[in-house]
Amino acid sequence: MGCSVCLWLVVSFCRVWGMGRGTRETVLGTLGKATVLWIPQEFQNLTQSFGVATWKRDTADPHSKEVLLKYMNGNYTNYAPSQNHFHSSNFSLEILSTKRQDQRLYEYIISKDAKEKVWQIQLEVYEPVSKPDIQVLSWALANDSCTVTLNCTAARGDNVSYSWTGLEASSSSPCAHNGSLLHLSYHLNATSLACACTASNPVSSSAVTFNSSACSFEQRGSASPELNLVLVVVPVVVVLVLIGVFTALRVGRLWKHTPPPEDSEVRTIYSQVQRVEKQKIPCSPPGTEHPSCTTIYAAATGLPPDTAQAPGRIQHSPRAETPTPRGCSPLSQSPDAEPMTVYASVTLPKI
């Protein structure tokens, strides 16, 4: 009887304080969101009884650990307050914004004298799944039946899995399938057939529906954004290019046949000069540097016979001779000699 009691005490002691590193559980965290690390009720009671506990986590160095928080008799010290929040009511630790590097092994340790009780939590971090897209890879029409190959993909998410189901929730539905690819065959009269693709991972899921209303690449309610963009943008670009080419050709043709503006009128003046050749005489006076030159004499007629001589004016003989320079031939000019006449005419063209 005494041995049985001793054995029960030993087992109870081991169950409370443990003989190894303690019990481990796995917690799933969502990337970018808050994650709470809970401890079981048993550890909460022990913490209130003994009043000493510590939150730690593993580091890249297997021989060292990072201390996150220390609790003692109602008071605590948070060593990373910008990253973690401690709930003193249940001694849980909340990671405010979960990151990839937070995927570690966490430990909650209760200390009593020389012994410790440890609760271990393995945190796994996942990126949530984005809404999937359904793409029609191929289709064929034969004997009033349509055969379509569909591919369901999600752009974001960790460890994503895919499944197909029918909206009628029947296990015999042609849509029932696991995996991203679905080979679907249906009669053209089955206009109500609809298949839903669900993309999921351990922390999230999202679904999209394919409607079998047409046997083609058309997808109602789940068309690929890239396909829609191509179908809309390409025709618009082609039309704009054709309009630009037509406009450029028409503008060039109009420019070629357009007359000059009225305000840019051009006038041309024609002139005609007739010259009566006269005898050239050397005219350089004595002592000049130029041995010979040509002088143009303008002949003027005398005063009319009935005009009296102005008072105080010296009357010059009309036959006064000009000294002949050396080397120049004398020129006799008859009073009746005709003067050299220059004719100029200007003709304005008619516009």
Side-chain angles (χ1 to χ4, degrees):
M1 180 67 178
C3 293
S4 298
V5 173
C6 293
L7 180 62
W8 179 83
L9 291 175
V10 172
V11 171
S12 297
F13 181 82
C14 292
R15 287 179 59 188
V16 174
W17 293 101
M19 301 299 292
R21 294 303 300 165
T23 306
R24 177 182 297 188
E25 71 169 349
T26 300
V27 174
L28 305 179
T30 302
L31 185 66
K33 296 184 178 181
T35 303
V36 179
L37 306 179
W38 304 91
I39 61 173
Q41 187 63 44
E42 178 185 1
F43 277 75
Q44 296 181 29
N45 296 335
L46 291 175
T47 303
Q48 292 175 350
S49 300
F50 303 111
V52 179
T54 305
W55 274 103
K56 297 181 181 181
R57 74 175 182 180
D58 287 350
T59 62
D61 184 1
H63 302 290
S64 64
K65 294 183 181 297
E66 179 184 2
V67 178
L68 303 176
L69 183 139
K70 286 185 177 181
Y71 174 85
M72 181 177 292
N73 299 324
N75 299 320
Y76 65 88
T77 301
N78 188 351
Y79 294 101
S82 61
Q83 302 175 13
N84 308 316
H85 177 70
F86 179 67
H87 297 273
S88 58
S89 59
N90 54 15
F91 311 106
S92 61
L93 185 68
E94 179 181 2
I95 302 174
L96 300 178
S97 180
T98 307
K99 304 177 182 60
R100 295 282 188 186
Q101 55 267 30
D102 293 329
Q103 184 167 294
R104 305 282 183 83
L105 177 64
Y106 292 79
E107 293 181 344
Y108 183 77
I109 304 172
I110 301 175
S111 301
K112 181 182 179 183
D113 299 331
K115 296 182 176 60
E116 291 182 343
K117 184 172 178 62
V118 181
W119 180 259
Q120 293 182 331
I121 300 175
Q122 178 64 52
L123 177 61
E124 296 180 358
V125 179
Y126 294 90
E127 181 184 18
V129 176
S130 61
K131 186 176 181 178
D133 291 327
I134 298 178
Q135 296 178 347
V136 179
L137 300 183
S138 63
W139 63 274
L141 181 61
N143 299 327
D144 294 333
S145 295
C146 184
T147 302
V148 184
T149 300
L150 306 177
N151 185 31
C152 181
T153 56
R156 296 185 305 276
D158 295 328
N159 296 352
V160 182
S161 60
Y162 301 92
S163 62
W164 291 86
T165 57
L167 297 184
E168 66 276 8
S170 173
S171 58
S172 61
S173 171
C175 301
H177 179 70
N178 290 326
S180 60
L181 291 177
L182 175 64
H183 301 283
L184 182 64
S185 181
Y186 58 91
H187 196 273
L188 293 180
N189 294 331
T191 56
S192 60
L193 180 62
C195 299
C197 171
T198 302
S200 61
N201 67 358
V203 298
S204 64
S205 64
S206 183
V208 67
T209 303
F210 171 82
N211 296 315
S212 60
S213 57
C215 188
S216 65
F217 285 94
E218 180 184 359
Q219 305 171 45
R220 296 187 179 180
S222 60
S224 173
E226 294 81 2
L227 180 60
N228 288 337
L229 183 62
V230 171
L231 294 178
V232 172
V233 172
V234 171
V236 173
V237 172
V238 172
V239 171
L240 293 178
V241 170
L242 293 177
I243 292 175
V245 172
F246 177 77
T247 303
L249 293 176
R250 184 168 181 81
V251 170
R253 189 179 297 109
L254 291 176
W255 176 265
K256 181 178 180 181
H257 296 284
T258 300
E262 294 182 358
D263 56 355
S264 61
E265 183 179 0
V266 179
R267 296 179 182 273
T268 305
I269 298 177
Y270 300 89
S271 64
Q272 181 178 5
V273 178
Q274 296 178 353
R275 179 177 180 181
V276 179
E277 296 293 335
K278 295 296 181 178
Q279 184 179 2
K280 297 180 181 180
I281 60 171
C283 59
S284 298
T288 58
E289 297 179 359
H290 303 284
S292 63
C293 65
T294 301
T295 303
I296 298 175
Y297 291 89
T301 59
L303 296 175
D306 56 348
T307 303
Q309 181 180 357
R313 178 172 297 189
I314 300 175
Q315 182 178 4
H316 295 276
S317 173
R319 295 184 177 270
E321 295 183 358
T322 303
T324 302
R326 181 179 301 177
C328 295
S329 300
L331 174 64
S332 59
Q333 183 174 4
S334 172
D336 298 331
E338 295 180 358
M340 180 179 65
T341 305
V342 177
Y343 298 90
S345 62
V346 177
T347 304
L348 183 63
K350 294 181 179 181
I351 304 301

